Amino acid sequence: MNSSVSNGQFAVRHLLVDEDSAGQRLDNFLFRELKGVPKTHIYRIIRSGEVRRNKGRIGADDRVEAGDVLRIPPIRVSERPAEKAAMAVPARTFPIVFEDEAFLALDKPAGVAVHGGSGVSSGVIEQLRRARPQARFLELVHRLDRETSGLLLIAKKKSALKALQDQFRERETGKTYLALVKGRWPERLKVLDQPLHKYLLADGERRVRVVEAGHPDGMRSVTLVKVQRQLPAPPGVGAGSPEGMSLLEVTIKTGRTHQIRVHLAHAGHPIAGDDKYGDFDLNRQLVRTGLRRMFLHAWRLRLTHPVSGEAMELHSELPLELHAWLDS
């Protein structure tokens, strides 16, 4: 169903999603289909509504289904810059928590995007592919915010990718994060069940907010919270958080964009260092104490092995900069 290519110029194309691609996010699907097209441009045509699914709009993180027909607008591709861009990606290795022939779990540092796009030239997946040129297949199973550290799964086989993504979609995995928040979290508040609505700012940046039940654009979102320990505010921060701070174990039952950050902030306990939904005055005080990142870490992941069916539990301990800050 694809039109021909001439002088690097595509006409309008219509792509049919096959069974192997079912369940993939739209952006991932297009990254593979539109080789040589900058990811920033792919995100731009998605945001503008020029990419259509079955004649309707579709978001970058919506999942495509077998039989979907995607309309792709005309795109000019310059192969030489694309090749140069690929060569410019730095090879980088990351601490490996688990690896076998099906998938690997790595420890993503804070400040590194999981993939290139939206102003980021490259991320974990591009850098890992560059470091492992012999690998025939490496694909992100899920995502973490750029500011979040911790466990990230990479599939090494297409069958493993589908099996693991099915587990995430069917909520069969247990994803638990460690988050340090402002104030004293009430022990009785253990379940946050509030719909979330995703929207775009004028500059195209994504934001999320809690909406009332029944909102036409609200997506049900469930977050479980357990207090691991209560902490006094560090010296010089008392006025910003007079009740101290709380270290939470946060388990998400749904995987919405910025879910933990928005739910905790809406409850009146924003995450320390969160530059989108946090307490900005408190963040400035925390920087002076040495906390220069958001305190959110993907700590534990329970899943079923995609090949053996064995139950697994993976852990990523707090990175040194967060552990040292807590100890101090």
Side-chain angles (χ1 to χ4, degrees), residues 19-245:
E19 290 286 348
D20 286 343
S21 300
Q24 292 181 18
R25 286 173 47 125
L26 175 66
D27 51 5
N28 280 343
F29 178 81
L30 293 182
F31 294 159
R32 277 194 297 275
E33 293 292 329
L34 304 179
K35 299 289 188 185
V37 178
K39 291 183 178 180
T40 52
H41 187 70
I42 290 175
Y43 281 115
R44 190 178 307 123
I45 61 174
I46 295 172
R47 284 198 299 266
S48 68
E50 295 176 85
V51 177
R52 313 287 284 187
R53 173 172 60 183
N54 307 328
K55 300 184 178 180
R57 290 185 73 110
I58 181 172
D61 55 358
D62 289 338
R63 298 188 183 274
V64 298
E65 300 299 335
D68 282 348
V69 177
L70 301 175
R71 176 198 180 274
I72 311 299
I75 301 173
R76 184 176 297 279
V77 180
S78 177
E79 295 180 6
R80 188 171 293 261
E83 291 172 3
K84 288 182 179 178
M87 292 298 291
V89 172
R92 181 172 179 181
T93 58
F94 300 89
I96 302 299
V97 176
F98 170 85
E99 181 171 8
D100 66 6
E101 73 287 347
F103 77 100
L104 64 89
L106 60 80
D107 215 339
K108 186 188 88 66
V112 181
V114 294
H115 63 74
S118 299
V120 180
S121 60
S122 69
V124 170
I125 190 64
E126 293 89 359
Q127 294 169 15
L128 189 64
R129 287 171 181 157
R130 186 91 166 117
R132 297 185 175 201
Q134 77 287 355
R136 299 179 62 183
F137 186 91
L138 290 173
E139 292 290 345
L140 289 166
V141 174
H142 62 110
R143 278 165 171 64
L144 292 177
D145 290 345
R146 183 177 182 178
E147 303 89 347
T148 304
S149 56
L151 290 169
L152 180 68
L153 301 189
I154 309 289
K156 297 169 66 176
K157 293 181 176 180
K158 184 173 284 189
S159 57
L161 176 66
K162 186 176 188 307
L164 289 168
Q165 288 185 335
D166 285 347
Q167 288 184 51
F168 279 92
R169 190 177 311 110
E170 299 301 321
R171 304 173 191 172
E172 295 170 354
T173 58
K175 294 169 68 177
T176 301
Y177 295 70
L178 293 179
L180 184 73
V181 300
K182 174 183 178 179
R184 189 175 186 84
W185 186 274
E187 297 272 0
R188 58 178 174 72
L189 185 55
K190 297 180 179 180
V191 181
L192 303 176
D193 186 353
Q194 297 146 336
L196 297 177
H197 168 53
K198 184 167 56 179
Y199 61 99
L200 294 177
L201 299 178
D203 62 1
E205 190 173 355
R206 291 182 301 175
R207 283 289 191 278
V208 179
R209 61 186 174 92
V210 170
V211 293
E212 67 278 5
H215 189 286
D217 296 318
M219 301 286 287
R220 189 181 182 203
S221 307
V222 181
T223 302
L224 309 181
V225 181
K226 175 185 175 183
V227 177
Q228 189 176 96
R229 57 177 160 143
Q230 305 283 6
L231 303 162
V237 180
S241 190
E243 295 181 347
M245 308 186 81

